[in-house]
Amino acid sequence: MKYIQSSKNEKVKQWKKLTTKKERDKSGLFLVEGEHLVEEALQAGLIQEVIVTESYQPKLAKVKFSGHDVFVIANDISKLISETETPQGIFAVCKQFNHSKVAGSKYLLIDAVQDPGNLGTMIRTADAVGADAVIVGEGSVDVYNAKVLRSAQGSNFHLPIIRGNLHEWIDKLQQQSIPVYGTALQNGEPMYEVQSGASFAIIVGNEGQGVDPSLLAKTTKNLYIPIYGKSESLNVAVATGVLLYYLRGNK
Amino acid sequence: MKYIQSSKNEKVKQWKKLTTKKERDKSGLFLVEGEHLVEEALQAGLIQEVIVTESYQPKLAKVKFSGHDVFVIANDISKLISETETPQGIFAVCKQFNHSKVAGSKYLLIDAVQDPGNLGTMIRTADAVGADAVIVGEGSVDVYNAKVLRSAQGSNFHLPIIRGNLHEWIDKLQQQSIPVYGTALQNGEPMYEVQSGASFAIIVGNEGQGVDPSLLAKTTKNLYIPIYGKSESLNVAVATGVLLYYLRGNK
């Protein structure tokens, strides 16, 4: 147990830097916040340091974190590293995942989704439907962004979330005979043209632009969700849920 | 065309008040913001006053708003009535809907959903799937809240959004032989136990607590969406989309 009273402490400076993508990429670390996510990180074996405020300290179950460095910080310091309005007072510095081997039959591919709440919700939904991995292409919000992690509610610890090149992934999945479905309002087919199946990958795209046409050109088929009313489209996280559950079906 | 330069103008005070639920309830009016929503409000015939900033004024299509009071306000005033970070500079004061008669076969009932983004997204999804009305029970965020309207992307103008008592609505719908399905993680059945059908009502509930047990006790059946992975639940707006599209089916 180490006590830190000064916001100028080197550790504090380092944690604060982890709120930026640049530093997360450089260090291979990320910061999680709140009891639930710290618990999930612990179970995933990714925790490097635990940080609690003085106020939180009496609630800290010490046995649970034995073997980990625990830092107790002055309450005020938590505001510097927190990205919520009312910090719970517990944080963890975690190692980023290293998923060298990924295997499976159900994939979600994400192209340039900008809103962290959407991306986190999509990761949560992919977990729920039993997907084997989520592949996040370039141009999307960072998967280790605090709001993404909060919206994912721990699901980022449950299945591989991989930053990758979507063109390469489409090739790789198709070589494994996994059908890859794009989503496109124009020149697509209603999702009902495809039967629910044991293996599939689905690509969903940017909130405004949809999936990049160069990706759509490589897919097995491009699908859309029928709109029966007068709205122009669905929210991308909702659309992802509808498609994933439809494609999985009642198996 | 009337010009307003002072933030102390009575009109400005009145518009500012419309950012509160209390004033919206009292006046039967609400405020929409941005070109898309103002256009939707115009088409719905609900506009009472149009408000534009001096900067926006040259873009204003006058013919479109003939017959409506148009106010041009100093740019700074827009910050007082806007609930976005970068106001587009166009607003409308609208009359609230009056849906005395509602008929149909597909309903979404919402119990105590708190997050405006969730509620708006659910209204957008209900529109997309061709629902006939959305019934919003007590304890939910106000349907005329600016963030609800923004997330609904105009769908609140496309189908009746009704504030009502959900107990009474369950009775009323069941009297019309419309099956009413609750959603419940415990003591429910997988949604696949129910066949897609021409008529249904579905009740979704609060982000943390789910649907009130006294409502679940009155339903035709209570359903859940199977979770195949390790997440504990789905986001309520995603769950609503999955359920609505499943229940509608490929008709």
Side-chain angles (χ1 to χ4, degrees):
Chain A
M1 207 81 82
K2 289 158 202 164
Y3 290 80
I4 297 179
Q5 291 294 335
S6 166
S7 61
K8 299 204 173 100
N9 182 288
E10 279 306 312
K11 274 284 172 197
V12 174
K13 285 184 191 165
Q14 188 189 322
W15 298 329
K16 194 166 182 305
K17 276 193 195 160
L18 286 179
T19 60
T20 67
K21 178 174 190 300
K22 191 179 165 191
E23 182 66 17
R24 290 191 296 262
D25 286 352
K26 202 175 115 190
S27 63
L29 300 173
F30 67 107
L31 201 60
V32 298
E33 177 172 354
E35 288 180 346
H36 176 65
L37 293 186
V38 171
E39 180 69 39
E40 294 269 8
L42 182 71
Q43 283 172 26
L46 293 169
I47 287 188
Q48 199 165 73
E49 295 171 344
V50 177
I51 307 159
V52 294
T53 57
E54 286 173 338
S55 299
Y56 189 89
Q57 193 189 353
K59 285 194 281 175
L60 183 68
K62 280 160 205 159
V63 180
K64 208 190 249 184
F65 295 108
S66 64
H68 293 285
D69 281 341
V70 177
F71 295 85
V72 181
I73 58 175
N75 290 334
D76 276 359
I77 298 179
S78 74
K79 286 177 204 146
L80 295 175
I81 56 174
S82 171
E83 298 189 54
T84 61
E85 283 181 25
T86 51
Q88 290 182 23
I90 182 164
F91 305 82
V93 175
C94 304
K95 285 167 283 197
Q96 293 186 11
F97 304 83
N98 183 11
H99 304 289
S100 48
K101 284 173 243 156
V102 174
S105 54
K106 295 178 185 69
Y107 292 84
L108 174 63
L109 278 58
I110 296 177
D111 176 37
V113 165
Q114 299 292 310
D115 181 85
N118 280 341
L119 182 58
T121 302
M122 288 153 84
I123 290 171
R124 180 179 172 193
T125 307
D127 179 12
V129 84
D132 297 293
V134 176
I135 317 298
V136 182
E138 288 144 32
S140 285
V141 57
D142 184 30
V143 297
Y144 296 108
N145 170 297
K147 190 157 193 293
V148 172
L149 297 173
R150 205 154 64 244
S151 300
Q153 297 206 357
S155 286
N156 54 296
F157 294 108
H158 299 163
L159 77 169
I161 314 297
I162 297 165
R163 292 190 274 202
N165 179 296
L166 298 185
H167 286 90
E168 290 171 19
W169 273 92
I170 295 174
D171 294 340
K172 184 154 51 171
L173 294 167
Q174 287 179 332
Q175 279 158 20
Q176 295 170 40
S177 305
I178 294 173
V180 180
Y181 303 117
T183 49
L185 287 174
Q186 291 178 334
N187 302 319
E189 301 172 37
M191 63 179 180
Y192 300 112
E193 294 297 311
V194 165
Q195 297 294 309
S196 304
S199 78
F200 59 84
I202 181 90
I203 316 175
V204 293
N206 178 269
E207 287 87 349
Q209 311 300 316
V211 178
D212 189 289
S214 69
L215 295 170
L216 294 179
K218 299 182 75 166
T219 55
T220 313
K221 246 177 210 226
N222 294 319
L223 306 177
Y224 65 83
I225 299 170
I227 303 281
Y228 303 98
K230 284 175 269 180
S231 64
E232 284 167 21
S233 62
L234 288 162
N235 164 276
V236 67
V238 172
T240 300
V242 171
L243 283 161
L244 285 174
Y245 268 92
Y246 173 73
L247 288 172
R248 164 145 203 153
N250 182 15
K251 304 281 152 56
Chain B
M1 206 82 82
K2 290 157 204 165
Y3 291 81
I4 297 179
Q5 291 294 335
S6 166
S7 60
K8 300 207 172 101
N9 182 288
E10 279 306 313
K11 274 283 173 198
V12 175
K13 286 184 192 166
Q14 188 189 321
W15 296 329
K16 195 166 183 302
K17 276 192 196 162
L18 286 178
T19 60
T20 68
K21 178 173 189 302
K22 191 178 166 192
E23 182 66 17
R24 290 192 295 262
D25 285 352
K26 201 175 115 189
S27 63
L29 301 172
F30 67 107
L31 200 60
V32 297
E33 176 172 353
E35 287 179 347
H36 176 64
L37 293 186
V38 171
E39 179 69 38
E40 294 269 8
L42 183 71
Q43 283 172 27
L46 293 169
I47 287 188
Q48 200 165 73
E49 295 170 344
V50 177
I51 308 158
V52 294
T53 58
E54 286 173 339
S55 298
Y56 189 89
Q57 193 189 354
K59 286 195 279 176
L60 183 69
K62 279 160 208 162
V63 179
K64 209 190 249 184
F65 295 107
S66 64
H68 293 286
D69 282 341
V70 177
F71 295 86
V72 181
I73 58 176
N75 291 334
D76 276 358
I77 298 179
S78 74
K79 286 177 202 145
L80 296 175
I81 56 175
S82 170
E83 297 188 55
T84 61
E85 283 182 26
T86 50
Q88 290 181 22
I90 181 163
F91 305 82
V93 175
C94 303
K95 285 167 283 196
Q96 293 186 11
F97 303 85
N98 182 10
H99 303 289
S100 48
K101 284 174 242 157
V102 174
S105 55
K106 296 178 184 69
Y107 292 84
L108 173 63
L109 277 58
I110 295 177
D111 176 37
V113 165
Q114 299 292 309
D115 181 85
N118 280 340
L119 181 58
T121 302
M122 289 153 83
I123 290 171
R124 180 179 172 193
T125 307
D127 179 13
V129 83
D132 296 293
V134 177
I135 317 298
V136 182
E138 289 144 32
S140 285
V141 57
D142 185 30
V143 298
Y144 295 108
N145 169 297
K147 190 157 192 297
V148 171
L149 297 172
R150 204 153 64 243
S151 299
Q153 296 205 358
S155 286
N156 55 296
F157 294 107
H158 300 163
L159 76 169
I161 315 296
I162 298 165
R163 293 189 275 202
N165 179 297
L166 298 186
H167 285 91
E168 290 171 19
W169 272 91
I170 295 174
D171 294 341
K172 182 152 56 169
L173 293 168
Q174 287 179 332
Q175 280 159 20
Q176 295 170 41
S177 305
I178 294 173
V180 180
Y181 303 117
T183 49
L185 288 174
Q186 292 178 333
N187 303 318
E189 301 172 37
M191 64 178 179
Y192 300 113
E193 295 298 311
V194 165
Q195 297 294 310
S196 304
S199 79
F200 59 83
I202 181 92
I203 316 175
V204 293
N206 178 268
E207 287 87 349
Q209 311 301 317
V211 178
D212 189 289
S214 68
L215 296 169
L216 293 179
K218 300 182 74 166
T219 55
T220 313
K221 248 178 206 222
N222 294 318
L223 306 177
Y224 65 83
I225 298 170
I227 303 282
Y228 302 98
K230 283 175 269 179
S231 65
E232 284 166 22
S233 63
L234 289 162
N235 164 276
V236 67
V238 172
T240 300
V242 171
L243 282 161
L244 285 173
Y245 269 91
Y246 173 73
L247 288 171
R248 165 145 203 154
N250 182 15
K251 305 281 150 56

